[in-house]
Amino acid sequence: MLGKGRKVSGRGETVTANYAFGPAEDDAIIKHRLLTRTTTTRGEPPLKKLQRKFTSFVLEVEKDEENYNDCAKLSKAFLQELSTFEIPLLKSKAVIDANLREKENFNELKDEINRQISLVQTDIEELKKQLEESKIERQHKEECEAIRKLISAQPPRSETQKSIREIEKEIAALEAENTAGSRLLELRKKQFALLLHVVDELQNTIEEDQKSLIEEMRMVTEEQRSGMDDASGGSEAMAVD
């Protein structure tokens, strides 16, 4: 809706658009009034007024009387009314043209805004990708920094190599000691096995000696018994004699 006091031009004249519609009127009534101009908020509708003057002029012309002056007056009044009726039409046309130009400008502005929005959205997507890449790069840098700190906390390479050489020497000494211990253990095993064998042989020998001693003692005992028997028999014989 156009505001009060907006100026438009038509037929070399400067006119002012002055429309006042009540808030209770809806769009259909407003559109009908603008197109036909058959209603108005004040006085007689312009189109009806023009129609009435035109009818008066025609009726006066159709009379057979010599009424040239009246016809001229009515014709002038009709032309004046027609001119008066034409001015608002020119106003409306100028307003419509201005609105169309403004609408076209708004459409161009809308297209430009949409284009800018599309560019901004593209930039946002690109920035999102860059942000993700930056996050990944930052994470890699943090990991590298953590590794660097871990490496920095370790002793120098020369000291590490020196420690490695010392540990290798210790390992070699332990291996040599282990080898010597293994050899000594093997020797002790053999000696222990030999000792067990000797003990076994000695035990067998002792058992045989014990058996031999027992056998000799048995034989001696038997001999003693035989001698005693022989002695007792001789005594009896002597007693008989």
Side-chain angles (χ1 to χ4, degrees), residues 6-217:
R6 179 168 182 174
K7 295 183 178 181
V8 295
S9 61
R11 290 192 177 185
E13 297 180 352
T14 301
V15 294
T16 303
N18 186 1
Y19 300 104
F21 300 116
E25 295 174 335
D26 56 10
D27 293 340
I29 296 175
I30 295 173
K31 183 177 180 182
H32 183 267
R33 289 174 58 190
L34 290 175
L35 292 177
T36 63
R37 300 191 63 81
T38 57
T39 60
T40 182
T41 57
R42 296 178 182 177
E44 186 179 8
L47 187 58
K48 290 184 177 181
K49 188 175 181 181
L50 180 63
Q51 182 181 4
R52 181 172 55 80
K53 289 186 178 294
F54 178 74
T55 303
S56 300
F57 170 70
V58 171
L59 292 176
E60 191 66 30
V61 170
E62 289 179 351
K63 292 180 180 180
D64 295 334
E65 300 175 358
E66 294 180 359
N67 50 359
Y68 297 108
N69 293 328
D70 295 335
C71 290
K73 291 178 180 181
L74 293 175
S75 175
K76 185 178 180 180
F78 170 72
L79 292 176
Q80 288 178 352
E81 188 64 29
L82 181 63
S83 177
T84 303
F85 184 80
E86 186 181 13
I87 290 174
L89 295 179
L90 294 175
K91 289 181 182 180
S92 298
K93 184 177 183 303
V95 171
I96 291 171
D97 293 339
N99 288 335
L100 290 175
R101 288 193 301 269
E102 192 171 2
K103 180 181 178 182
E104 184 177 357
N105 293 332
F106 284 155
N107 290 332
E108 292 177 357
L109 181 60
K110 180 181 177 181
D111 294 337
E112 179 65 20
I113 292 173
N114 290 332
R115 188 180 67 84
Q116 293 294 333
I117 290 173
S118 179
L119 293 176
V120 170
Q121 288 177 347
T122 303
D123 293 339
I124 290 173
E125 294 298 327
E126 184 65 25
L127 291 174
K128 285 183 179 179
K129 293 180 181 179
Q130 293 179 4
L131 180 60
E132 293 297 328
E133 293 175 357
S134 299
K135 288 182 179 179
I136 295 173
E137 184 177 359
R138 181 178 179 181
Q139 183 179 2
H140 290 169
K141 287 182 179 179
E142 290 177 353
E143 292 175 354
C144 292
E145 183 65 19
I147 294 173
R148 186 191 66 79
K149 290 181 179 179
L150 182 62
I151 294 173
S152 299
Q154 301 301 320
R157 184 176 180 182
S158 58
E159 295 182 3
T160 304
Q161 289 179 347
K162 183 178 179 181
S163 300
I164 291 173
R165 287 193 295 269
E166 292 178 355
I167 292 172
E168 288 177 349
K169 289 180 182 180
E170 292 178 0
I171 292 173
L174 291 174
E175 288 179 350
E177 184 178 354
N178 186 24
T179 302
S182 298
R183 291 177 181 177
L184 181 61
L185 180 62
E186 188 66 25
L187 179 61
R188 291 290 186 269
K189 285 182 179 180
K190 291 179 180 181
Q191 290 177 353
F192 186 72
L194 180 61
L195 179 61
L196 290 177
H197 180 68
V198 171
V199 170
D200 190 28
E201 291 292 332
L202 182 60
Q203 186 176 1
N204 292 332
T205 303
I206 291 173
E207 290 178 355
E208 290 178 358
D209 291 342
Q210 287 179 352
K211 289 179 180 180
S212 299
L213 182 59
I214 292 171
E215 185 66 26
E216 289 178 0
M217 290 177 66

